[in-house]
Amino acid sequence: MSIIDFIFEEKAADIGNFLVGRLLPFRQKRNIGPFVFIDHMGPAHLQAGENLDVAPHPHIGLSTLTFLFDGAVRHRDSIGNDIIIEPGAVNWMTAGKGVVHSERTPDHLREIEKKLHGLQIWIALPKELENMDPEFVHVEAKDLPTWKEGNVSFKLIAGEFEGKKSGVPVYSKLYMLELKAETDQHINLHDRLFGESGLYILEGSVSHEGHTFGPKQILITKDAHLCSFEMKAGSTVYLFGGEPFPEERFIFWNFVSSSRETIESAKELWKAQEFSKVPGETEFVPLPENPLKK
């Protein structure tokens, strides 16, 4: 990328009983377009009886996007969805005024060895939609737009790109792209993206102006029009971003809102257990005293 504003290594964080690499937010940069939170989950090799178990917890004011590279996660939520997400598919849950969900290793994998690896992403809603009714959409891997440009494979995970549109129903102008290079490649996306732009290196490396960046690094530029870089053969990167909102977004734990008062109200509702319940689940994650804040 030309004019890289920030370069960051991912930092580890505990989510439930699982360790993830947290990519966003950080002190110097709280969001990239409408993207406010990105976690790199795994890669982990789990033994028989060692499982992902994130008990029911709430969200408001955002959409969550789960995208797996390996393994499987059972998603259950308070609007009645119960589905297993597998590699390449997209789980898109829009919390709006409030939703509760759990994330667990599926029953058929709990007593065998397995792997788990993926990205979990939060995208803030426009201010006028922060209080919308919750929704859920599952998009299979085969239904995501894919194409090749030379020896680079592209996949549009969410949003729009040059007339192509993902089946993920986003609520603002954004994009999330996967790029895989078969050979060393020069990538020039000048004038092809918009808004703010971030690049996450999953594997391999990218270079720009004599500097080389490797896995688990995120590169950010405020000007998406200046996005060009070299990819080494075998590299996989994710480009994401879009138009930022005019209003600031506040984050407390799993709550995202343009209003501090709305977040305070959600905290009290969760402490009183007045959110809708996930059918068949009795556990819940208590409100933490010192969660991620903005």
Side-chain angles (χ1 to χ4, degrees):
M1 288 184 179
S2 297
I3 309 180
I4 297 172
D5 293 299
F6 301 106
I7 304 165
F8 290 99
E9 302 277 353
E10 67 178 53
K11 296 181 179 180
D14 287 306
I15 302 295
N17 62 344
F18 203 76
L19 189 68
V20 300
R22 178 160 296 157
L23 310 178
L24 186 75
F26 32 78
R27 186 179 303 276
Q28 296 93 330
K29 187 66 176 172
R30 292 295 186 173
N31 54 276
I32 300 171
F35 290 77
V36 295
F37 186 93
I38 303 176
D39 272 350
H40 180 190
M41 179 173 60
H45 187 101
L46 305 178
Q47 302 299 318
E50 184 182 8
N51 298 300
L52 174 73
D53 278 304
V54 181
H57 55 283
H59 290 282
I60 65 165
L62 54 79
S63 296
T64 65
L65 187 158
T66 302
F67 186 77
L68 296 183
F69 310 126
D70 207 344
V73 173
R74 183 183 183 186
H75 164 98
R76 304 176 76 189
D77 64 43
S78 56
I79 51 177
N81 297 289
D82 186 345
I83 195 165
I84 294 174
I85 183 170
E86 296 180 326
V90 175
N91 259 22
W92 177 263
M93 183 182 71
T94 298
K97 62 186 179 184
V99 72
V100 179
H101 75 133
S102 64
E103 298 162 290
R104 301 184 186 276
T105 298
D107 291 344
H108 70 281
L109 297 178
R110 297 185 73 83
E111 299 306 323
I112 63 173
E113 291 186 20
K114 60 272 184 185
K115 296 179 181 178
L116 188 60
H117 189 200
L119 295 175
Q120 293 193 311
I121 295 167
W122 296 358
I123 299 169
L125 287 168
K127 184 175 181 178
E128 66 272 16
L129 294 177
E130 287 182 321
N131 201 41
M132 67 180 285
D133 289 335
E135 296 179 348
F136 178 86
V137 173
H138 179 85
V139 179
E140 296 289 354
K142 63 181 178 62
D143 296 323
L144 295 173
T146 59
W147 67 98
K148 293 196 71 172
E149 297 182 11
N151 287 326
V152 180
S153 297
F154 283 71
K155 179 181 293 181
L156 181 58
I157 296 170
E160 298 187 30
F161 180 78
E162 295 186 332
K164 301 176 178 68
K165 187 174 182 179
S166 167
V168 176
V170 302
Y171 293 99
S172 60
K173 193 173 181 183
L174 62 88
Y175 52 85
M176 180 176 175
L177 292 160
E178 175 188 83
L179 281 65
K180 289 179 175 285
E182 298 173 10
T183 59
D184 292 358
Q185 292 287 313
H186 174 69
I187 307 297
N188 184 2
L189 296 171
H190 182 78
D191 288 333
R192 301 179 71 186
L193 301 176
F194 51 87
E196 297 180 328
S197 181
L199 183 151
Y200 177 62
I201 305 165
L202 179 69
E203 55 189 357
S205 64
V206 304
S207 300
H208 172 71
E209 295 183 348
H211 301 283
T212 299
F213 309 97
K216 298 188 176 182
Q217 286 190 306
I218 184 170
L219 314 180
I220 300 167
T221 176
K222 291 181 180 178
D223 188 348
H225 295 275
L226 299 174
C227 193
S228 64
F229 51 92
E230 309 293 329
M231 282 182 73
K232 290 293 291 182
S235 297
T236 300
V237 304
Y238 291 86
L239 277 166
F240 57 93
E243 300 292 350
F245 295 127
E247 317 88 5
E248 183 178 7
R249 288 301 183 275
F250 305 103
I251 302 175
F252 181 98
W253 190 36
N254 304 315
F255 304 141
V256 175
S257 180
S258 58
S259 164
R260 293 186 186 274
E261 291 75 17
T262 297
I263 289 178
E264 290 302 314
S265 176
K267 289 163 61 177
E268 295 306 313
L269 287 172
W270 184 247
K271 285 193 288 187
Q273 281 298 286
E274 293 181 4
F275 274 78
S276 298
K277 304 291 193 263
V278 177
E281 299 247 19
T282 57
E283 294 181 275
F284 66 91
V285 179
L287 187 77
E289 292 184 5
N290 188 30
L292 175 70
K293 296 181 180 179
K294 181 180 180 183

